[in-house]
Amino acid sequence: MSEFQSDRDEAARKLGPLKWAIGAVLVIGVAAVLYVIAQASFKPAGVVDLKEFKKASLEKLDVPTQPRAAPATIFTDGAGKPHTLADFKGQVVVMNLWATWCAPCKKEMPTLGKLQAAYATQPLKVLPISVDRDSDLNLVQAEMAANPPLQVYRDPGYKLSFALDPRAAGYPTTVIYDKQGRERARLAGDADWSSPEARGLVEALLREH
């Protein structure tokens, strides 16, 4: 064997592990790209990520990985007329489960009124649904009268609270549905719903088709 041939074989032997390493990196890189593409393909078209609004007064905001279906549970308005969340499809819905005996609920209620008033001409519906018993209806009516343009809605049997998946952890619980009627975010506890981050979240959903 010539000296040239020997040197070439030696170089090939040394390059063997290097070629393997380069090949492995390329395979990993391709796999990573395919994973990103696959993940993107599972994200519903036109759905914005609301996690950017998880800050300040909305720090406790829960944004599910996938939109959740709304329960078909019946609740009533101030006149006793039955409704379900499906009745409000086509609007961004901010459903707030509350009670007159709940201090944090009453604390945040004026901010919900301000939110509804700020988007009065847009497809946004704030639904403050009281879980108070029938004997406290006058207290519910007084609270809504003090925070226009909010309206009376009721669920004294706590049916909505238990129908949510996962169920409401306590009061207040605010659940935000997009115009297709899907749960996109939730917050347990009080918040400032007239804050810049709350309005930003609502406006992001209003822009969705």
CSV table of all heavy atoms in Angstrom, one decimal, residues 12-23:
chain,number,residue,atom,x,y,z
A,12,ALA,N,-9.8,9.1,6.5
A,12,ALA,CA,-11.2,8.6,6.5
A,12,ALA,C,-11.6,8.0,7.8
A,12,ALA,O,-12.8,8.2,8.3
A,12,ALA,CB,-11.4,7.5,5.4
A,13,ARG,N,-10.7,7.3,8.5
A,13,ARG,CA,-11.0,6.7,9.8
A,13,ARG,C,-11.3,7.8,10.8
A,13,ARG,O,-12.2,7.7,11.6
A,13,ARG,CB,-9.8,5.9,10.3
A,13,ARG,CG,-10.0,5.2,11.6
A,13,ARG,CD,-8.8,4.4,12.0
A,13,ARG,NE,-7.7,5.3,12.3
A,13,ARG,CZ,-7.6,6.0,13.5
A,13,ARG,NH1,-8.5,5.8,14.4
A,13,ARG,NH2,-6.6,6.7,13.7
A,14,LYS,N,-10.5,8.9,10.8
A,14,LYS,CA,-10.7,10.0,11.7
A,14,LYS,C,-12.0,10.8,11.4
A,14,LYS,O,-12.6,11.3,12.3
A,14,LYS,CB,-9.5,11.0,11.7
A,14,LYS,CG,-8.3,10.4,12.2
A,14,LYS,CD,-7.1,11.4,12.2
A,14,LYS,CE,-5.8,10.8,12.8
A,14,LYS,NZ,-4.7,11.7,12.7
A,15,LEU,N,-12.4,10.9,10.1
A,15,LEU,CA,-13.6,11.6,9.8
A,15,LEU,C,-14.9,10.8,10.1
A,15,LEU,O,-16.0,11.4,10.1
A,15,LEU,CB,-13.6,12.0,8.3
A,15,LEU,CG,-12.6,13.1,7.9
A,15,LEU,CD1,-12.6,13.3,6.4
A,15,LEU,CD2,-13.1,14.4,8.5
A,16,GLY,N,-14.7,9.5,10.2
A,16,GLY,CA,-15.9,8.7,10.5
A,16,GLY,C,-16.8,9.2,11.6
A,16,GLY,O,-18.0,9.5,11.4
A,17,PRO,N,-16.3,9.3,12.8
A,17,PRO,CA,-17.1,9.8,13.9
A,17,PRO,C,-17.7,11.2,13.7
A,17,PRO,O,-18.8,11.5,14.1
A,17,PRO,CB,-16.1,9.8,15.1
A,17,PRO,CG,-15.1,8.8,14.7
A,17,PRO,CD,-14.9,9.0,13.2
A,18,LEU,N,-16.9,12.1,13.0
A,18,LEU,CA,-17.3,13.4,12.7
A,18,LEU,C,-18.5,13.4,11.8
A,18,LEU,O,-19.5,14.1,12.0
A,18,LEU,CB,-16.2,14.2,12.1
A,18,LEU,CG,-16.5,15.7,11.7
A,18,LEU,CD1,-16.9,16.5,13.0
A,18,LEU,CD2,-15.3,16.4,11.0
A,19,LYS,N,-18.5,12.6,10.7
A,19,LYS,CA,-19.6,12.4,9.8
A,19,LYS,C,-20.9,12.0,10.6
A,19,LYS,O,-22.0,12.4,10.3
A,19,LYS,CB,-19.3,11.4,8.7
A,19,LYS,CG,-18.3,12.0,7.7
A,19,LYS,CD,-18.0,10.9,6.6
A,19,LYS,CE,-17.1,11.4,5.6
A,19,LYS,NZ,-16.8,10.4,4.5
A,20,TRP,N,-20.6,11.0,11.5
A,20,TRP,CA,-21.8,10.5,12.3
A,20,TRP,C,-22.4,11.6,13.1
A,20,TRP,O,-23.6,11.7,13.2
A,20,TRP,CB,-21.3,9.4,13.2
A,20,TRP,CG,-22.4,8.7,14.0
A,20,TRP,CD1,-23.2,7.7,13.6
A,20,TRP,CD2,-22.9,9.2,15.3
A,20,TRP,NE1,-24.1,7.4,14.6
A,20,TRP,CE2,-24.0,8.3,15.6
A,20,TRP,CE3,-22.5,10.1,16.1
A,20,TRP,CZ2,-24.6,8.4,16.8
A,20,TRP,CZ3,-23.1,10.3,17.3
A,20,TRP,CH2,-24.2,9.4,17.7
A,21,ALA,N,-21.5,12.4,13.7
A,21,ALA,CA,-22.0,13.5,14.6
A,21,ALA,C,-22.8,14.5,13.8
A,21,ALA,O,-23.9,15.0,14.2
A,21,ALA,CB,-20.9,14.2,15.3
A,22,ILE,N,-22.3,14.9,12.6
A,22,ILE,CA,-23.0,15.8,11.7
A,22,ILE,C,-24.3,15.3,11.3
A,22,ILE,O,-25.3,16.0,11.3
A,22,ILE,CB,-22.1,16.2,10.5
A,22,ILE,CG1,-20.8,17.0,10.9
A,22,ILE,CG2,-22.9,17.0,9.5
A,22,ILE,CD1,-19.8,17.2,9.8
A,23,GLY,N,-24.3,14.0,11.0
A,23,GLY,CA,-25.6,13.4,10.6
A,23,GLY,C,-26.6,13.4,11.7
A,23,GLY,O,-27.8,13.7,11.4
